[in-house]
Amino acid sequence: MSDVLKTVLVGCGGITKAWLEHVTTRDDVVLVGLVDIDPAQARRVQTTYGLTDAQIGTDLAAMLDAVNPDVVFDCTVPPVHAAVAVTALEHGCHVLGEKPMATSVADAQRINAAAAQAGKLHAVIQNRRYLDGIVHYRDLVQSGRIGALTTLNADFYLGPHFGGFREEMEHVLLIDMAIHSLDQARFISGADPVSVYCHEWNPPGSWYAHGASAMAIFEMSDGIVFNYRGSWSAQGKPTTWACDWRAVGTRGTVLWDGEDGFAGEVVTGDEGFFYATTPMEIAPPAPLPYTGHAGVIDDFIAAVKTGGVPQTVGTDNIKSLAMVYAAIESAERGCKVPVVWS
């Protein structure tokens, strides 16, 4: 493989801005093809980013045959993620795709099987893993300073008025947004999901058709309990998009507001009604070389070039997807259900 990765971008909608503002600054990636069902969309991307040498097409398989790329970037809509990924993998390409990995666990399993068969990587954009704050918080939680983690809570309360498809879709919060928070919980805790009980509802005043709010209790490995509380129709005093977090350990608690705010206390006494605690001294986060989409893309490209495994590889990310669909199943059935991904 050349030091420069020949790449095809499929899906040329608005999300491509988050990809191309980084990709077009790199000298180890060259875009050789732009695919979209609307050629005008592809031409707009070509013009905006000066990709004059990139071919434009509407058929992914035909484009792959024509330009023989090393990598496919999948920026299509979720219902076609599985078809795009399998087609690209069967053509011998590594694939990095937008979240969610697929619209069912079965389709995610199909992608992973195709990747294994092809001997190629498939990974997913879980951009919230690549934030200075969350890496710092993960390290604080897993450092042992608060003892062994027992409980992890995430609050997500925002009131965005998107308009369009989100306001009509079923399970809007769980499907379109919670994947981020649930994947963050796995990243922070280092634990895997075991089971979930979820209650989902659409509160009075919601401008969504279905499922703008949800609460879910996940049993995780190592006896950890993760509690998710969220709403997309909560106006006033918003949390950050990355959630407001509380991690409780056997010897203390540490908080993160999803941005720059960290605070914690550890137990220093061993008698009395409330044992004495001492505030944690928490240094500011060390800056990552790349954050957000750029961080995922950089990790993926490095893995392709070195034979490594990116952090958001599909065989791991399927666990976060399984949390979403288990939560939906629980909400629909009104009972606790196992989280299954294999």
Side-chain angles (χ1 to χ4, degrees), residues 83-269:
V84 166
V86 171
T87 296
L89 291 162
E90 289 177 345
H91 279 75
C93 302
H94 302 282
V95 181
L96 178 61
E98 266 296 333
K99 64 86 184 169
M101 182 177 176
T103 54
S104 71
V105 174
D107 274 349
Q109 291 170 336
R110 187 159 63 94
I111 293 170
N112 285 339
Q117 178 68 29
K120 299 295 179 180
L121 290 174
H122 177 275
V124 183
I125 291 282
Q126 291 289 174
N127 54 320
R128 300 236 167 84
R129 285 189 176 219
Y130 295 80
L131 301 173
D132 298 343
I134 195 171
V135 173
H136 193 48
Y137 189 59
R138 185 273 314 269
D139 291 346
L140 286 169
V141 170
Q142 296 188 20
S143 69
R145 294 176 67 184
I146 62 169
L149 179 66
T150 66
T151 309
L152 185 64
N153 296 345
D155 282 348
F156 177 87
Y157 289 101
L158 290 166
H161 294 262
F162 291 106
F165 73 92
R166 286 183 179 87
E167 295 189 4
E168 301 301 323
M169 70 184 289
E170 292 190 347
H171 309 294
V172 61
L173 179 71
L174 290 173
I175 288 179
D176 197 54
M177 190 66 218
I179 182 68
H180 281 300
S181 308
L182 306 187
D183 188 71
Q184 286 176 274
R186 290 185 51 241
F187 179 69
I188 292 165
S189 68
D192 286 336
V194 176
S195 67
V196 60
Y197 175 78
C198 180
H199 178 68
E200 178 191 46
W201 76 103
N202 209 37
S206 170
W207 50 98
Y208 295 88
H210 187 278
S213 297
M215 293 189 182
I217 304 169
F218 287 91
E219 292 179 287
M220 308 290 283
S221 58
D222 302 321
I224 297 166
V225 173
F226 165 54
N227 299 292
Y228 172 77
R229 305 188 303 180
S231 180
W232 250 354
S233 61
Q235 301 189 98
K237 300 299 288 183
T239 65
T240 66
W241 286 90
C243 292
D244 190 79
W245 293 87
R246 174 182 288 263
V248 181
T250 55
R251 297 294 298 170
T253 293
V254 63
L255 311 178
W256 176 47
D257 69 0
E259 291 183 340
D260 301 322
F262 299 88
E265 292 183 345
V266 293
V267 175
T268 52

Side-chain angles (χ1 to χ4, degrees), residues 3-5 7 19-31 51 73 96 289-290 293-305:
D3 288 338
V4 179
L5 301 176
T7 303
W19 293 63
L20 294 178
E21 286 189 347
H22 173 69
V23 169
T24 54
T25 67
R26 302 184 67 107
D27 58 11
D28 56 355
V29 177
V30 58
L31 283 156
L51 305 173
F73 289 155
L96 178 61
Y290 297 104
H293 273 67
V296 188
I297 293 166
D298 185 68
D299 188 17
F300 175 79
I301 290 171
V304 169
K305 293 167 71 173

